[in-house]
Amino acid sequence: MKRLDTQVGIVGAGPAGLLLGHLLHLEGIDSIIVEDRGRDHVIERVRAGVLEQATVDLLIEIGAGERLRREGMRHGGIYICFSGRHHRIDFEELTGGRSITVYGQNEVVKDLIAIRCATGRPLYFEVEDVRIADFESAPRIAFRKGGEEIAIACDFIAGCDGGHGICRSSITTQRLQTYEKLYPFGWLGILAAAPPGSRELVYSLHERGFALFSMRSPSVTRLYLQCAPDEDLTAWPADRIWDELTARLASDDGWCPNRGPILQKGITGMRSFVAEPMRCGRLFLAGDSAHIVPPTGAKGLNLAAADVWTLSRALAAWYRDGREDLLNSYSAQCLRRVWRAQRFSWWMTSMLHRAPGAGDFDYRRQLAELEYVTSSRAAMTSLAENYAGFPLQ
Ligand code: FAD
Ligand code: DHB
């Protein structure tokens, strides 16, 4: 068996694990990252697209923002569409200049992997059978790589292994309180080779359900449709997808998304989930391993970034000054932001989706809410400041 030592063992090379690795590197703290999927799989996984102002500022500050600055698309607001009309919410004007940036999560991950490799610190892809042990006292991570058994001894473990990882499930259930809400619908998402026909995102509630228009570049559009959580993708040939998107997103003045070849499609379930506390001994959970939000508020990746920023501050204070207070307050500090984002994501989801079995009363109530949210300055400001996001501190 091969034995390795490090200060922080990080499980998972998604945005949380990779960003944490680099924040620690900048503090002179050593880490080893282990990831069970291959590098190409991690880089090509199409997921989030919206970065809050604070996430963009952080990536730039740590030197991971060069391509983001060049290729990221800065948006000063979004459109909300209902009853055939598009209404703009102007984030910049309502929040004193805050904006969002559209830049694919896979691009963020690609940039962070390149930066990690440049530091020369270890990042193992395609590891098997990852286990963690003794995280109350002397933490260890064990795994197999190319048939060889490897054990890492570390001071701390960061569980950045997403919603289906092993870190959270290694904590006995009595030590965690979990909160969950399932939604009776999912999203069918596509990536299409079509130039975006709107400069900004369009969130739409239509009688036939929710739809979202987003983008990845001047030639690639990203779109989502509300569907059943167990929807059969084979029942959705390209024409049906485009007809449905057009019906749900078109405005009375003739706007509708441009069509083009579909490059990729997939179904996503919708769930709200929180595990508390986000720490057990010397194991710290960060990102989707501790909490999941439905994607409507575009918060998941941003929450993951805020968690690992908080954790990196706490670990730096511990290594530099022997201070434990920030490690002790890590969970409570993150959970305040997490529950604020949970509330916002739940609210956006409930306002913009048609639940099966909900009647005409609910639909009319949703339309009244959308009317209010797009006409009252107070309501628009509340949406804008939550969507554009709050500063890290
Ligand atoms: P992950 O990205 O899940 O990374 C975890 C990593 O751990 C993975 O690489 C996984 O392979 C690895 N792993 C798992 N198990 C193990 C193991 N046993 N051993 C080693 N490694 C393991 N968020 C936003 O902020 N804005 C958006 O616009 C947005 N849109 C979204 C749209 C969709 C369709 C979806 C699905 C999600 C969206 N999200 C959005 C959410 C966002 O993608 C996630 O919140 C984000 O990926 C969380 O990052 P993470 O690093 O915590 O977890
Ligand atoms: C995207 C994803 C989201 O969940 C969202 O709310 C907005 C945009 C996207 O993939 O571009």
Side-chain angles (χ1 to χ4, degrees), residues 2 37 48 67 88 103 130 136 173 201 210 239 246 251 274 296 303 311 317 326-327 351 363 365 367 378 384-386:
K2 184 166 160 183
R37 309 304 294 257
R67 212 158 57 87
R88 185 162 189 268
Y103 188 68
V130 180
E136 302 276 7
T173 48
L201 273 54
F210 170 80
D239 284 348
T246 304
S251 60
V274 182
T296 326
L303 282 179
L311 183 55
L326 297 183
L327 289 174
M351 178 170 68
Y363 186 51
R365 176 186 52 72
L367 294 178
E385 68 174 358
N386 279 281

Short mmCIF file of all heavy atoms in Angstrom, two decimals, residues 2 37 48 67 88 103 130 136 173 201 210 239 246 251 274 296 303 311 317 326-327 351 363 365 367 378 384-386:
data_model
loop_
_atom_site.label_atom_id
_atom_site.label_comp_id
_atom_site.label_asym_id
_atom_site.label_seq_id
_atom_site.Cartn_x
_atom_site.Cartn_y
_atom_site.Cartn_z
N LYS A 2 0.48 2.23 -0.82
CA LYS A 2 1.24 3.49 -0.87
C LYS A 2 0.64 4.45 0.17
O LYS A 2 -0.59 4.58 0.25
CB LYS A 2 1.08 4.05 -2.28
CG LYS A 2 1.87 5.29 -2.57
CD LYS A 2 1.86 5.48 -4.09
CE LYS A 2 2.18 6.88 -4.52
NZ LYS A 2 2.08 7.00 -5.97
N ARG A 37 -14.24 10.38 -11.28
CA ARG A 37 -14.50 10.37 -12.72
C ARG A 37 -13.24 10.79 -13.48
O ARG A 37 -12.28 11.29 -12.89
CB ARG A 37 -15.64 11.34 -13.08
CG ARG A 37 -16.90 11.18 -12.27
CD ARG A 37 -17.48 9.78 -12.31
NE ARG A 37 -17.97 9.41 -13.62
CZ ARG A 37 -19.25 9.39 -13.98
NH1 ARG A 37 -20.19 9.69 -13.11
NH2 ARG A 37 -19.60 9.03 -15.20
N ALA A 48 -24.25 24.24 -14.66
CA ALA A 48 -24.64 25.62 -14.41
C ALA A 48 -24.08 26.61 -15.44
O ALA A 48 -23.12 26.30 -16.13
CB ALA A 48 -24.16 26.03 -13.03
N ARG A 67 -9.78 33.82 -18.74
CA ARG A 67 -10.69 33.48 -19.85
C ARG A 67 -12.12 33.95 -19.52
O ARG A 67 -12.87 34.40 -20.39
CB ARG A 67 -10.66 31.97 -20.09
CG ARG A 67 -10.89 31.57 -21.54
CD ARG A 67 -10.33 30.20 -21.79
NE ARG A 67 -10.88 29.17 -20.92
CZ ARG A 67 -12.00 28.49 -21.18
NH1 ARG A 67 -12.67 28.72 -22.28
NH2 ARG A 67 -12.44 27.56 -20.34
N ARG A 88 -38.44 43.25 -18.25
CA ARG A 88 -37.04 43.23 -17.84
C ARG A 88 -36.89 43.62 -16.37
O ARG A 88 -37.53 44.57 -15.91
CB ARG A 88 -36.21 44.19 -18.71
CG ARG A 88 -34.73 44.10 -18.40
CD ARG A 88 -33.89 44.69 -19.52
NE ARG A 88 -32.48 44.41 -19.29
CZ ARG A 88 -31.66 45.22 -18.63
NH1 ARG A 88 -32.09 46.36 -18.16
NH2 ARG A 88 -30.39 44.87 -18.44
N TYR A 103 -21.26 32.06 -17.93
CA TYR A 103 -20.00 31.38 -18.27
C TYR A 103 -20.18 29.95 -17.76
O TYR A 103 -20.47 29.74 -16.59
CB TYR A 103 -18.84 32.06 -17.53
CG TYR A 103 -17.45 31.60 -17.91
CD1 TYR A 103 -16.92 31.85 -19.18
CD2 TYR A 103 -16.65 30.92 -16.99
CE1 TYR A 103 -15.63 31.45 -19.51
CE2 TYR A 103 -15.36 30.52 -17.32
CZ TYR A 103 -14.86 30.79 -18.58
OH TYR A 103 -13.58 30.39 -18.92
N VAL A 130 -13.45 5.07 -3.05
CA VAL A 130 -12.97 6.08 -2.09
C VAL A 130 -13.66 5.87 -0.74
O VAL A 130 -14.88 5.71 -0.68
CB VAL A 130 -13.26 7.51 -2.61
CG1 VAL A 130 -12.77 8.55 -1.62
CG2 VAL A 130 -12.62 7.72 -3.97
N GLU A 136 -12.90 12.04 13.21
CA GLU A 136 -13.03 12.71 14.51
C GLU A 136 -11.64 13.00 15.10
O GLU A 136 -11.49 13.88 15.93
CB GLU A 136 -13.80 11.84 15.51
CG GLU A 136 -15.19 11.45 15.06
CD GLU A 136 -16.23 12.51 15.38
OE1 GLU A 136 -15.86 13.60 15.83
OE2 GLU A 136 -17.42 12.23 15.14
N THR A 173 -26.10 8.93 10.83
CA THR A 173 -27.29 9.75 10.61
C THR A 173 -27.70 10.53 11.87
O THR A 173 -28.27 11.61 11.76
CB THR A 173 -28.47 8.89 10.12
OG1 THR A 173 -28.55 7.76 10.98
CG2 THR A 173 -28.30 8.47 8.69
N LEU A 201 -31.10 36.45 -20.30
CA LEU A 201 -31.90 35.25 -20.02
C LEU A 201 -33.40 35.58 -20.01
O LEU A 201 -33.78 36.69 -19.63
CB LEU A 201 -31.52 34.69 -18.64
CG LEU A 201 -30.36 33.71 -18.58
CD1 LEU A 201 -29.10 34.25 -19.21
CD2 LEU A 201 -30.10 33.28 -17.16
N PHE A 210 -43.11 25.80 -17.33
CA PHE A 210 -41.93 26.68 -17.29
C PHE A 210 -41.04 26.47 -18.51
O PHE A 210 -40.92 25.36 -19.04
CB PHE A 210 -41.15 26.36 -16.02
CG PHE A 210 -39.79 27.00 -15.92
CD1 PHE A 210 -39.65 28.32 -15.53
CD2 PHE A 210 -38.63 26.26 -16.20
CE1 PHE A 210 -38.39 28.90 -15.43
CE2 PHE A 210 -37.38 26.84 -16.09
CZ PHE A 210 -37.26 28.16 -15.71
N ASP A 239 -37.93 18.26 -33.08
CA ASP A 239 -39.05 19.13 -33.46
C ASP A 239 -39.98 19.37 -32.28
O ASP A 239 -40.48 20.48 -32.09
CB ASP A 239 -39.86 18.49 -34.61
CG ASP A 239 -39.12 18.64 -35.93
OD1 ASP A 239 -38.14 19.43 -35.96
OD2 ASP A 239 -39.51 17.97 -36.90
N THR A 246 -40.76 27.08 -28.25
CA THR A 246 -41.32 28.25 -28.95
C THR A 246 -42.66 28.64 -28.33
O THR A 246 -42.91 29.82 -28.05
CB THR A 246 -41.48 27.94 -30.45
OG1 THR A 246 -40.20 27.53 -30.95
CG2 THR A 246 -41.96 29.15 -31.23
N SER A 251 -43.10 35.75 -27.45
CA SER A 251 -43.87 36.90 -26.97
C SER A 251 -44.83 37.35 -28.07
O SER A 251 -44.64 37.03 -29.25
CB SER A 251 -42.94 38.03 -26.56
OG SER A 251 -42.18 38.43 -27.68
N VAL A 274 -30.93 20.14 2.59
CA VAL A 274 -29.86 20.70 3.45
C VAL A 274 -29.50 19.68 4.50
O VAL A 274 -30.39 19.05 5.10
CB VAL A 274 -30.31 22.01 4.17
CG1 VAL A 274 -29.16 22.57 5.01
CG2 VAL A 274 -30.81 23.06 3.19
N THR A 296 -33.67 26.80 -10.50
CA THR A 296 -34.36 28.02 -10.98
C THR A 296 -33.70 29.32 -10.50
O THR A 296 -33.75 30.33 -11.19
CB THR A 296 -35.84 27.99 -10.55
OG1 THR A 296 -36.29 26.63 -10.57
CG2 THR A 296 -36.70 28.82 -11.47
N LEU A 303 -23.20 28.94 -4.31
CA LEU A 303 -23.15 28.53 -2.90
C LEU A 303 -21.90 27.70 -2.64
O LEU A 303 -21.25 27.84 -1.60
CB LEU A 303 -24.37 27.69 -2.53
CG LEU A 303 -25.69 28.42 -2.28
CD1 LEU A 303 -26.78 27.40 -1.96
CD2 LEU A 303 -25.56 29.41 -1.12
N LEU A 311 -14.45 28.21 4.15
CA LEU A 311 -13.60 27.14 4.71
C LEU A 311 -12.12 27.48 4.56
O LEU A 311 -11.32 27.25 5.49
CB LEU A 311 -13.94 25.82 4.00
CG LEU A 311 -13.22 24.57 4.49
CD1 LEU A 311 -13.42 24.37 6.00
CD2 LEU A 311 -13.72 23.32 3.74
N ALA A 317 -6.67 30.50 9.08
CA ALA A 317 -6.52 31.05 10.44
C ALA A 317 -6.01 29.96 11.39
O ALA A 317 -5.21 30.23 12.30
CB ALA A 317 -7.86 31.60 10.93
N LEU A 326 -12.90 30.18 13.67
CA LEU A 326 -13.52 30.22 12.34
C LEU A 326 -13.93 28.82 11.88
O LEU A 326 -14.92 28.65 11.18
CB LEU A 326 -12.60 30.89 11.32
CG LEU A 326 -12.28 32.36 11.60
CD1 LEU A 326 -11.43 32.95 10.48
CD2 LEU A 326 -13.55 33.19 11.75
N LEU A 327 -13.16 27.79 12.29
CA LEU A 327 -13.57 26.42 11.99
C LEU A 327 -14.87 26.11 12.73
O LEU A 327 -15.78 25.47 12.20
CB LEU A 327 -12.48 25.43 12.41
CG LEU A 327 -11.20 25.43 11.55
CD1 LEU A 327 -10.15 24.52 12.17
CD2 LEU A 327 -11.50 24.99 10.13
N MET A 351 -43.01 30.04 -8.18
CA MET A 351 -43.66 31.10 -8.95
C MET A 351 -43.70 30.76 -10.44
O MET A 351 -44.61 31.18 -11.16
CB MET A 351 -42.89 32.41 -8.73
CG MET A 351 -43.42 33.60 -9.49
SD MET A 351 -42.64 35.13 -8.94
CE MET A 351 -40.96 34.93 -9.48
N TYR A 363 -52.84 29.04 -10.98
CA TYR A 363 -52.22 29.69 -12.14
C TYR A 363 -52.50 31.19 -12.11
O TYR A 363 -51.60 32.01 -12.31
CB TYR A 363 -52.74 29.04 -13.42
CG TYR A 363 -52.05 29.55 -14.68
CD1 TYR A 363 -50.66 29.58 -14.77
CD2 TYR A 363 -52.79 30.01 -15.76
CE1 TYR A 363 -50.02 30.05 -15.92
CE2 TYR A 363 -52.17 30.49 -16.91
CZ TYR A 363 -50.78 30.50 -16.97
OH TYR A 363 -50.16 30.98 -18.11
N ARG A 365 -53.15 33.00 -9.52
CA ARG A 365 -52.37 33.56 -8.40
C ARG A 365 -50.91 33.75 -8.82
O ARG A 365 -50.31 34.78 -8.52
CB ARG A 365 -52.47 32.60 -7.21
CG ARG A 365 -51.63 33.01 -6.01
CD ARG A 365 -51.64 31.98 -4.90
NE ARG A 365 -51.30 30.63 -5.34
CZ ARG A 365 -50.08 30.24 -5.70
NH1 ARG A 365 -49.08 31.08 -5.68
NH2 ARG A 365 -49.87 28.99 -6.09
N LEU A 367 -49.84 34.28 -11.87
CA LEU A 367 -49.79 35.43 -12.79
C LEU A 367 -49.86 36.75 -12.02
O LEU A 367 -49.16 37.72 -12.34
CB LEU A 367 -50.92 35.35 -13.81
CG LEU A 367 -50.85 34.18 -14.80
CD1 LEU A 367 -52.06 34.19 -15.74
CD2 LEU A 367 -49.56 34.23 -15.63
N ALA A 378 -40.16 47.66 -5.20
CA ALA A 378 -39.72 46.92 -4.01
C ALA A 378 -39.58 45.43 -4.33
O ALA A 378 -38.58 44.79 -3.98
CB ALA A 378 -40.73 47.12 -2.88
N ALA A 384 -33.91 41.11 -7.62
CA ALA A 384 -32.60 41.47 -8.21
C ALA A 384 -31.47 41.23 -7.21
O ALA A 384 -30.42 40.66 -7.56
CB ALA A 384 -32.61 42.93 -8.64
N GLU A 385 -31.65 41.64 -5.96
CA GLU A 385 -30.51 41.51 -5.02
C GLU A 385 -30.25 40.05 -4.66
O GLU A 385 -29.11 39.64 -4.48
CB GLU A 385 -30.67 42.40 -3.79
CG GLU A 385 -31.76 42.00 -2.84
CD GLU A 385 -31.74 42.87 -1.58
OE1 GLU A 385 -30.88 43.74 -1.43
OE2 GLU A 385 -32.64 42.65 -0.74
N ASN A 386 -31.31 39.24 -4.62
CA ASN A 386 -31.11 37.81 -4.35
C ASN A 386 -30.48 37.12 -5.55
O ASN A 386 -29.62 36.26 -5.41
CB ASN A 386 -32.43 37.14 -3.98
CG ASN A 386 -32.79 37.38 -2.53
OD1 ASN A 386 -32.25 36.72 -1.64
ND2 ASN A 386 -33.66 38.34 -2.27
#
